[in-house]
Amino acid sequence: MNIPATRKDLMIVNMGPHHPSMHGVLRLIITLDGEDVIDCEPILGYLHRGMEKIAENRTIIQYLPYVTRWDYLATMFTEAITVNGPEQLGNIQVPKRASYIRIIMLELSRIASHLLWLGPFMADIGAQTPFFYIFRERELVYDLFEAATGMRMMHNYFRIGGVAADLPHGWIDKCLDFCDYFLTRVAEYQKLITRNPIFLERVEGVGIIGREEVINWGLSGPMLRASGIQWDLRKVDHYECYDEFDWEVQWQKEGDSLARYLVRIGEMIESIKIIQQALEGIPGGPYENLEIRYFDRERNPEWNDFEYRFISKKPSPTFELPKQELYVRVEAPKGELGIFLIGDQSGFPWRWKIRPPGFINLQILPQLVKRMKLADIMTILGSIDIIMGEVDR
């Protein structure tokens, strides 16, 4: 008689890069002992597109349509950081109206990003319904974007010194209607999810990060604020004109997946408060600082030489980036999105380093999933909120 031998050795499993819960092309090599995770090694680079190198061979204006491909769910933030860098290098003033329009767009984008975090996160832990609900609201945000910018996802709307176009007629009323409608929907999400016993069973006490750990790992955004640290770059750096609005930093002290969920839900409500105040107080005036078009263009670029005269049309004026270095950052939905920029008196940046929040938040994943069950990997990875476009760049 053959007695079935019980196997004592560990099992190594590949999760991804095709797994639907990986949210893109992330691959995890997991060492399992039964259901328990012994080790986890994330493997990146399946979506690497050399974005930093491309930036170093383009002028800022040429690169602007491309930046929305880093974090393709919070597209306005990538554009904001791309124009904020040169604006600070060249000391360019942004008109008040343009700043208000930017804030409205950024906060709408934050809502769209958090919605598309909430749906798949709930689907990962087995709740299908919110996945359909969030698309209903997200479509409305994208309709507003389409009306203002002409594009639903990749907008190319921000410009150095302002925005590309003014808000169309009737847009502000539509946006206010959306705000009122959206608050009722968020209440619906909370009623559906927040006290659901199965949901709480899956997220409460799962993936706990302590206060010191969060700081040591350099995490940012909802990951940081869910562990009891009130740090929001909109309050810290005072960029655009967030100081003129009345809103609260959302934070929790537990540091688990439930806390991160609550922080993001709270942020959506705060974003609506900011948008409503910005829409009601939006000033008149220009939406772009047109004077900057006359500054700092290259004096006599070689393209004006005789040899090049008949090749193509004249290139558009470029901004000469002064010879200095700069780190700019904004509070993106996933955390601190930053750019380290070195100019060297030419139209192209000499160095363009992207600091993506997802990449830095992802590094704590192996530590969080050790000694957890296999099913908890989904919960923890979902609560980190990564997007592979900016992790791999």
Side-chain angles (χ1 to χ4, degrees), residues 81-99:
I81 193 78
T82 309
V83 298
N84 280 0
E87 276 169 6
Q88 287 184 27
L89 271 184
N91 203 1
I92 292 163
Q93 299 303 313
V94 180
K96 196 69 171 283
R97 182 176 178 85
S99 190

Side-chain angles (χ1 to χ4, degrees), residues 61-78:
I61 306 290
Q62 285 170 331
Y63 189 57
L64 251 178
Y66 191 67
V67 295
T68 41
R69 274 79 175 168
W70 310 340
D71 178 352
Y72 37 81
L73 300 180
T75 43
M76 291 291 183
F77 289 89
T78 56

Side-chain angles (χ1 to χ4, degrees), residues 183-194:
L183 287 173
T184 62
R185 300 294 100 172
V186 173
E188 184 182 40
Y189 298 152
Q190 286 171 310
K191 208 154 55 175
L192 188 66
I193 300 169
T194 308

Side-chain angles (χ1 to χ4, degrees), residues 214-231:
V214 174
I215 297 174
N216 291 343
W217 282 93
L219 307 186
S220 57
M223 296 280 288
L224 180 71
R225 291 191 286 276
S227 296
I229 296 170
Q230 300 179 49
W231 174 269

Side-chain angles (χ1 to χ4, degrees), residues 124-161:
D124 287 348
I125 28 187
Q128 279 294 326
T129 320
F131 190 69
F132 302 115
Y133 283 10
I134 61 118
F135 277 104
R136 180 184 58 190
E137 276 75 67
R138 191 166 155 270
E139 282 301 305
L140 296 174
V141 178
Y142 279 6
D143 288 342
L144 286 170
F145 281 158
E146 190 179 13
T149 70
M151 292 274 192
R152 295 175 72 79
M153 275 184 84
M154 316 291 180
H155 316 288
N156 190 16
Y157 186 59
F158 282 46
R159 292 287 182 275
I160 298 178

Side-chain angles (χ1 to χ4, degrees), residues 14 50 74 78 144 187 240 343 353 371:
N14 258 316
T78 56
L144 286 170
E240 299 301 352
K353 168 80 180 74
R371 298 178 305 285

Side-chain angles (χ1 to χ4, degrees), residues 122-335:
M122 296 307 295
D124 287 348
I125 28 187
Q128 279 294 326
T129 320
F131 190 69
F132 302 115
Y133 283 10
I134 61 118
F135 277 104
R136 180 184 58 190
E137 276 75 67
R138 191 166 155 270
E139 282 301 305
L140 296 174
V141 178
Y142 279 6
D143 288 342
L144 286 170
F145 281 158
E146 190 179 13
T149 70
M151 292 274 192
R152 295 175 72 79
M153 275 184 84
M154 316 291 180
H155 316 288
N156 190 16
Y157 186 59
F158 282 46
R159 292 287 182 275
I160 298 178
V163 290
D166 210 344
L167 297 177
H169 181 69
W171 193 89
I172 290 179
D173 301 332
K174 281 272 185 294
C175 196
L176 283 168
D177 291 347
F178 165 76
C179 292
D180 298 336
Y181 166 79
F182 186 72
L183 287 173
T184 62
R185 300 294 100 172
V186 173
E188 184 182 40
Y189 298 152
Q190 286 171 310
K191 208 154 55 175
L192 188 66
I193 300 169
T194 308
R195 295 219 177 80
N196 185 316
I198 305 175
F199 171 72
L200 291 177
E201 201 72 24
R202 288 295 304 268
V203 296
E204 219 166 355
V206 171
I208 297 178
I209 319 176
R211 201 186 151 98
E212 273 71 39
E213 263 187 302
V214 174
I215 297 174
N216 291 343
W217 282 93
L219 307 186
S220 57
M223 296 280 288
L224 180 71
R225 291 191 286 276
S227 296
I229 296 170
Q230 300 179 49
W231 174 269
D232 191 312
L233 294 179
R234 293 173 286 176
K235 293 273 195 206
V236 176
D237 282 1
H238 314 293
Y239 65 93
E240 299 301 352
C241 41
Y242 278 106
D243 290 352
E244 298 177 17
F245 305 122
D246 174 35
W247 58 282
E248 301 299 320
V249 175
Q250 292 297 310
W251 63 287
Q252 300 285 329
K253 54 183 182 293
E254 291 78 25
D256 57 358
S257 298
L258 177 64
R260 297 194 270 279
Y261 157 82
L262 291 170
V263 165
R264 291 189 175 102
I265 287 282
E267 277 191 7
M268 291 202 277
I269 298 171
E270 293 303 315
S271 288
I272 288 288
K273 273 165 57 176
I274 295 174
I275 294 169
Q276 284 175 327
Q277 292 171 53
L279 288 168
E280 275 151 21
I282 189 164
Y287 58 87
E288 189 177 14
N289 183 353
L290 293 173
E291 288 177 8
I292 51 130
R293 293 194 178 177
Y294 296 104
F295 293 163
D296 291 339
R297 63 177 67 176
E298 289 184 48
R299 297 295 169 269
N300 275 317
E302 59 190 270
W303 301 108
N304 291 349
D305 289 357
F306 181 75
E307 289 87 88
Y308 295 106
R309 182 171 298 172
F310 306 108
I311 292 181
S312 66
K313 63 180 183 17
K314 288 273 169 63
S316 58
T318 52
F319 298 95
E320 210 171 89
L321 295 168
K323 204 177 183 72
Q324 63 188 71
E325 55 187 60
L326 174 75
Y327 176 70
V328 278
R329 54 189 187 172
V330 294
E331 180 72 43
K334 294 166 180 59

